[in-house]
């Protein structure tokens, strides 16, 4: 029976692999390069900047409103009758010159009334002549009656005539006096009757003139409500005439926008009766009317006229009225259409610059502060006081100096003092300059 080898020899078989592993590890450690020490690198964030600059900024305010004619004339019939003639171009939208006859009402009845009044005046003149001639005769009869009464009274004293003869002479005298008084009264009433007949004739002439409807000024026809052969009554509206000489726009402008037009203006004594002239002279405001035509904006030069008398409590806007003279003379087919009634337009008010202002992009102001790049291109936060904003511009009153490089990029996160790679934003700079008036 064979004998098993001792168990301690099996343990010796583990040493060769262990020694081999140790040898390999020593060789690997000896062949490895030592670690290289490097300086830490600070991260740099790219940032677009715009330089804060002083410009002579022209304050502007804008609002929207509808176009309305400055004057609107309602043609109302002042006489009754049948419409016997209508102008061939009496249609809505047509333009007629001042003095053009537009409509005629049957004048026959009023011509008859005028003829009757004139005939009565002629008859009254004849009556005047007859009364004056009869008065001359009756006054002579009165003289004779007085002489006859005096003679008969002498004769009765002498006893050569009777009392009845004296009484007859006295009755004749009284009758002659009564006739003279009647004729005097008739002549006294003739001027009043003449004035009444003349007024009647003038009224007939006036009614006859009202049978012709003429344009009081150059107008555009609207709301036509009458046709030929139609009967019209007194007070009936026939049509409406809108002036084409001057159109007005009442635009609703925010009060905050109007405020900046008057900032930094000299204090003056306000004459409320000439407020419109005062605003124009104080601010030098110029108005423009704009109409968006899709890919083109039509413009008209306008004149500031007045402020409206109320403020809209819901929108906190005030009505500003501007006017455009002779808009139909400024038509450019395809570029500037007629400025017509009820057209919805934008009104832009632009005042003259009140002085140099420090402006930056509006998007650069966040929570009352701006981010700037200092001389070492590090990020700094500057609290600023905003005077007002206008479009894409923000006017700074305090907290920033001219020439500061304002960061306009969205940096996330924002770390005070972090390193920046500054890049001037030329397109934004050009856009801002286009909105401002350079000194």
């Amino acid at each position: 029976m064979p004998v098993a080898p001792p168990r301690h020899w099996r343990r010796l078989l583990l040493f060769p692999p262990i020694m081999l592993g140790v040898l390999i590890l020593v060789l690997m450690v000896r062949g490895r390069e030592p670690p290289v020490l490097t300086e830490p690198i600070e991260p740099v964030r790219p940032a677009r900047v715009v330089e804060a600059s002083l410009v002579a900024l022209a304050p502007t305010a804008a609002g929207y409103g509808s176009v309305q004619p400055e004057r609107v004339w309602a043609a109302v019939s002042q006489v009754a009758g049948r419409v016997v003639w209508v102008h061939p171009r009496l249609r809505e939208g047509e333009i007629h010159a001042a003095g053009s006859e537009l409509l005629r009402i049957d004048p026959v009845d009023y011509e008859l009334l005028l003829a009757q009044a004139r005939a009565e005046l002629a008859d009254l003149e004849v009556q005047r002549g007859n009364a004056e001639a009869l008065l001359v005769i009756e006054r002579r009869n009165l003289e004779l009656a007085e002489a006859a009464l005096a003679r008969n009274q002498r004769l009765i004293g002498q006893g050569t005539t009777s009392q009845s003869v004296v009484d007859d002479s006295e009755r004749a005298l009284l009758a002659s006096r009564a006739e003279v008084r009647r004729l005097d009264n008739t002549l006294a009433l003739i001027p009043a009757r003449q004035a009444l007949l003349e007024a009647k004739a003038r009224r007939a002439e006036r009614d006859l003139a009202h049978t012709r409807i003429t344009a009081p000024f150059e107008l555009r026809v609207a709301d036509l409500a009458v046709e030929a052969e139609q009967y019209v009554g007194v007070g009936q509206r026939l049509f409406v005439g809108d002036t084409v000489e001057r159109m007005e726009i009442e635009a609703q402008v925010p009060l905050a926008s109007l405020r900046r037009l008057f900032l930094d203006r000299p204090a003056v004594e306000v004459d409320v009766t000439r407020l419109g002239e005062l605003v124009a002279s104080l601010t030098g405001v110029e108005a423009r009317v704009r109409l968006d035509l899709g890919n083109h904006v039509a413009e008209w030069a306008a004149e500031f006229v007045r402020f409206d008398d109320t403020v809209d409590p819901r929108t906190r806007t005030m009505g500003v009225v501007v006017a455009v003279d002779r808009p139909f003379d400024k038509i450019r087919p395809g570029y500037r259409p007629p400025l017509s009634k009820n057209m919805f337009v934008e009104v832009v008010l632009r005042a003259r610059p009140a002085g140099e202002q420090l402006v930056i992009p509006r998007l650069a102001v966040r929570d009352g502060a701006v981010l700037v790049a200092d001389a070492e291109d590090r990020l700094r936060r500057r609290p600023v006081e905003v005077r007002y904003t206008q479009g894409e511009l923000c006017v700074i009153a305090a907290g920033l100096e001219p020439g500061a490089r304002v960061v306009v990029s969205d940096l996330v996160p924002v770390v005070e003092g972090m390193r920046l790679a500054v890049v001037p934003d030329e397109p934004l700079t050009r856009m801002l300059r286009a909105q401002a008036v350079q000194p």
Side-chain angles (χ1 to χ4, degrees):
M1 182 174 183
V3 180
R7 299 184 66 177
H8 63 274
W9 290 104
R10 295 181 181 177
R11 295 176 181 175
L12 295 175
L13 295 176
L14 296 175
F15 283 98
I18 293 174
M19 295 301 293
L20 181 61
V22 172
L23 180 60
I24 294 173
L25 180 61
V26 171
L27 293 176
M28 290 178 62
V29 171
R30 287 182 177 180
R32 185 176 178 182
E33 294 289 337
V36 180
L37 297 179
T38 59
E39 294 291 336
I41 300 176
E42 183 179 5
V44 179
R45 298 291 302 278
R48 294 178 292 109
V49 298
V50 171
E51 184 177 326
S53 56
L54 288 171
V55 297
L57 181 64
T60 62
Y64 293 86
S66 298
V67 178
Q68 296 296 330
E70 182 190 40
R71 291 190 294 169
V72 178
W73 174 68
V76 176
S77 176
Q78 295 178 270
V79 295
R82 180 175 56 91
V83 178
V84 295
W85 180 81
V86 174
H87 195 286
R89 290 194 301 108
L90 186 62
R91 298 185 295 268
E92 293 185 1
E94 292 283 359
I95 298 176
H96 295 270
S100 302
E101 184 177 359
L102 304 177
L103 185 143
R104 192 181 307 155
I105 299 172
D106 190 357
V108 173
D109 292 342
Y110 306 101
E111 290 173 347
L112 293 175
L113 289 175
L114 179 59
Q116 179 183 354
R118 288 173 175 172
E120 290 177 354
L121 279 171
D123 179 67
L124 183 63
E125 196 62 33
V126 173
Q127 292 180 27
R128 184 205 300 271
N130 292 337
E132 289 175 348
L134 289 174
L135 183 60
V136 172
I137 295 173
E138 287 302 324
R139 282 176 176 170
R140 179 58 182 162
N141 287 336
L142 179 60
E143 292 174 357
L144 294 175
E146 290 173 346
L149 177 60
R151 184 173 56 254
N152 290 329
Q153 287 176 342
R154 289 195 303 271
L155 291 176
I156 196 173
Q158 297 173 0
T160 57
T161 186
S162 64
Q163 184 64 38
S164 61
V165 174
V166 175
D167 293 341
D168 291 339
S169 298
E170 188 173 357
R171 279 193 292 271
L173 176 62
L174 293 175
S176 181
R177 285 177 177 174
E179 185 63 20
V180 169
R181 175 62 61 86
R182 185 186 70 81
L183 290 174
D184 283 337
N185 291 338
T186 298
L187 289 174
L189 291 174
I190 282 179
R193 292 179 59 192
Q194 182 179 5
L196 179 62
L197 291 175
E198 288 177 348
K200 184 178 178 180
R202 286 195 299 270
R203 180 173 181 177
E205 291 176 348
R206 187 167 175 265
D207 289 342
L208 183 60
H210 288 159
T211 61
R212 296 174 180 266
I213 308 297
T214 58
F217 48 81
E218 190 175 8
L219 55 81
R220 193 177 193 184
V221 178
D223 299 336
L224 183 63
V226 68
E227 296 180 358
E229 302 302 325
Q230 178 180 341
Y231 181 86
V232 296
V234 177
Q236 180 177 340
R237 194 173 74 169
L238 308 176
F239 58 90
V240 172
D242 301 329
T243 181
V244 297
E245 298 175 354
R246 189 175 173 90
M247 305 296 284
E248 289 187 346
I249 303 96
E250 182 179 338
Q252 296 298 319
V253 182
L255 292 175
S257 299
L258 289 175
R259 169 182 171 271
R260 56 177 173 248
L261 299 180
F262 299 93
L263 288 175
D264 302 322
R265 306 295 176 181
V268 295
E269 183 178 352
V270 177
D271 182 0
V272 294
T273 63
R274 305 179 63 185
L275 187 58
E277 298 178 14
L278 175 64
V279 171
S281 61
L282 180 64
T283 65
V285 64
E286 296 179 355
R288 303 288 295 181
V289 176
R290 295 177 177 174
L291 175 64
D292 189 356
L293 299 176
N295 59 349
H296 175 70
V297 177
E299 288 194 358
W300 293 263
E303 173 190 354
F304 173 83
V305 178
R306 64 185 182 275
F307 290 112
D308 198 6
D309 61 337
T310 58
V311 174
D312 191 326
R314 294 173 301 175
T315 60
R316 296 193 57 81
T317 58
M318 174 177 280
V320 176
V321 180
V322 300
V324 178
D325 291 325
R326 305 296 303 177
F328 286 85
D329 295 345
K330 302 172 183 177
I331 296 175
R332 291 180 58 197
Y335 295 93
R336 188 185 294 134
L339 196 60
S340 303
K341 183 170 64 175
N342 295 328
M343 185 178 285
F344 193 71
V345 296
E346 180 188 17
V347 173
V348 179
L349 303 176
R350 187 182 183 94
R352 64 170 173 261
E356 291 187 341
Q357 307 283 350
L358 183 63
V359 298
I360 62 173
R362 185 174 184 176
L363 58 86
V365 182
R366 302 178 181 90
D367 299 327
V370 297
L371 301 177
V372 299
D374 64 9
E376 298 178 356
D377 290 344
R378 293 190 178 275
L379 185 67
R380 303 299 176 190
R381 186 177 184 273
R382 300 278 183 83
V384 294
E385 179 184 344
V386 177
R387 189 172 185 79
Y388 64 86
T389 60
Q390 177 174 298
E392 301 300 326
L393 298 177
C394 191
V395 178
I396 303 301
L400 200 65
E401 64 280 355
R405 296 179 297 171
V406 179
V407 177
V408 295
S409 297
D410 291 327
L411 301 178
V412 180
V414 175
V415 179
E416 181 80 12
M418 69 186 224
R419 191 76 175 272
L420 300 176
V422 174
V423 179
D425 193 332
E426 295 296 339
L428 182 57
T429 301
R430 288 193 296 269
M431 184 189 70
L432 296 177
R433 289 177 179 174
Q435 295 189 22
V437 177
Q438 297 296 329

